[in-house]
Amino acid sequence: MTQTIEIRKNHFVLHPLGGAYWQEKEMLLIADVHLGKATHFRKEGIAIPLKTMHKNYFNLDKLIEYFKPKTICFLGDLFHSKINKEWLYFEDWCSEVSAKLILIKGNHDIIAEEKFKNLDILLMEDWQLDAFFLTHHPEEAENVFNICGHVHPGIHLKGPGRQKLKLPCFYQTENQLILPAFGDFTGNFSLKPTKKDKVFAVTPDEVILVSG
């Protein structure tokens, strides 16, 4: 089950897989996929299951099928580090996608820009679009609403029987929306919301407003 939120008269659908669909722009926003990370660790001798790699592409395809976006904007850290064998898989995936692909560069996006351009991926440092400012790192910019990634936001939930659960989340403040990390092999960083913040916990089946 998704959650639809309104920000400055625009509507964003928050999906349990971690993407946000901007209805007015027919644009899918995704942060911190970190493709190639599992392959990078396997190369270093760390036993990471191959299914971790395939799950990222499977989830991307599910989101594309669900929303049918005209544009997909990755908010940084699309590919984790240097090129490895997974880049060939990524090339094949790009060739099957009809949506326009845009990458807001993150700190892990160190692959030569020419490689992305050869796949018709438009690279940008940031992107101001109407009243919205799309970035990788959280930014404070005057008169615009910032949508970003990088933080890998998470929230700790406690049950009545001392149960504890840590979940990724969409984290919304007055002038900012931080997307959860999309990648299956990323982890998350616990944030402490104020009374004014809204936190949408991400479970395998739904997005739930747990604070705000």
Side-chain angles (χ1 to χ4, degrees):
M1 183 183 299
T2 61
Q3 281 269 4
T4 301
I5 60 175
E6 182 177 343
I7 303 172
R8 301 196 179 186
K9 298 182 179 180
N10 283 253
H11 300 84
F12 298 83
V13 183
L14 312 182
H15 194 280
L17 289 177
Y21 182 68
W22 187 351
Q23 291 182 334
E24 284 75 12
K25 301 297 184 184
E26 298 182 83
M27 180 187 298
L28 180 60
L29 301 168
I30 297 173
D32 301 284
V33 187
H34 288 275
L35 297 174
K37 186 174 183 179
T39 306
H40 174 76
F41 276 83
R42 286 173 62 88
K43 185 178 179 181
E44 298 298 321
I46 302 172
I48 305 297
L50 275 176
K51 66 179 181 180
T52 299
M53 177 189 78
H54 295 296
K55 187 175 181 180
N56 287 328
Y57 296 97
F58 177 76
N59 288 342
L60 285 170
D61 289 340
K62 284 184 68 175
L63 277 183
I64 293 170
E65 182 179 357
Y66 185 86
F67 289 115
K68 297 178 173 57
K70 289 186 177 179
T71 304
I72 302 172
C73 182
F74 295 101
L75 298 175
D77 290 358
L78 173 56
F79 209 88
H80 179 71
S81 185
K82 298 177 181 179
I83 283 183
N84 54 42
K85 292 181 179 179
E86 191 174 335
W87 183 262
L88 297 176
Y89 200 99
F90 177 59
E91 288 181 333
D92 290 340
W93 181 82
C94 289
S95 69
E96 299 294 327
V97 177
S98 60
K100 181 178 179 63
L101 300 177
I102 297 173
L103 171 60
I104 308 296
K105 291 181 64 177
N107 50 294
H108 281 281
D109 296 310
I110 62 173
I111 293 173
E113 293 189 5
E114 198 64 30
K115 292 287 186 180
F116 289 104
K117 291 177 181 178
N118 288 341
L119 299 178
D120 291 325
I121 298 175
L122 175 62
L123 269 66
M124 305 176 73
E125 296 295 329
D126 50 50
W127 188 11
Q128 183 167 341
L129 190 56
D130 299 336
F132 296 87
F133 188 46
L134 309 182
T135 63
H136 175 59
H137 292 86
E139 299 282 354
E140 292 290 339
E142 191 173 353
N143 299 322
V144 291
F145 188 93
N146 179 223
I147 303 178
C148 60
H150 181 65
V151 177
H152 302 197
I155 186 74
H156 274 286
L157 301 178
K158 296 181 180 179
R162 295 186 178 181
Q163 305 98 325
K164 293 183 179 181
L165 183 64
K166 187 177 182 181
L167 294 172
C169 66
F170 294 89
Y171 192 91
Q172 182 183 354
T173 65
E174 183 179 2
N175 293 306
Q176 192 171 75
L177 176 65
I178 306 175
L179 271 61
F182 187 86
D184 190 53
F185 184 51
T186 53
N188 50 68
F189 176 74
S190 294
L191 298 176
K192 296 181 179 180
T194 69
K195 292 181 179 180
K196 295 182 179 180
D197 299 338
K198 293 182 179 180
V199 178
F200 299 88
V202 177
T203 77
D205 300 312
E206 59 184 328
V207 177
I208 306 168
L209 178 63
V210 295
S211 179

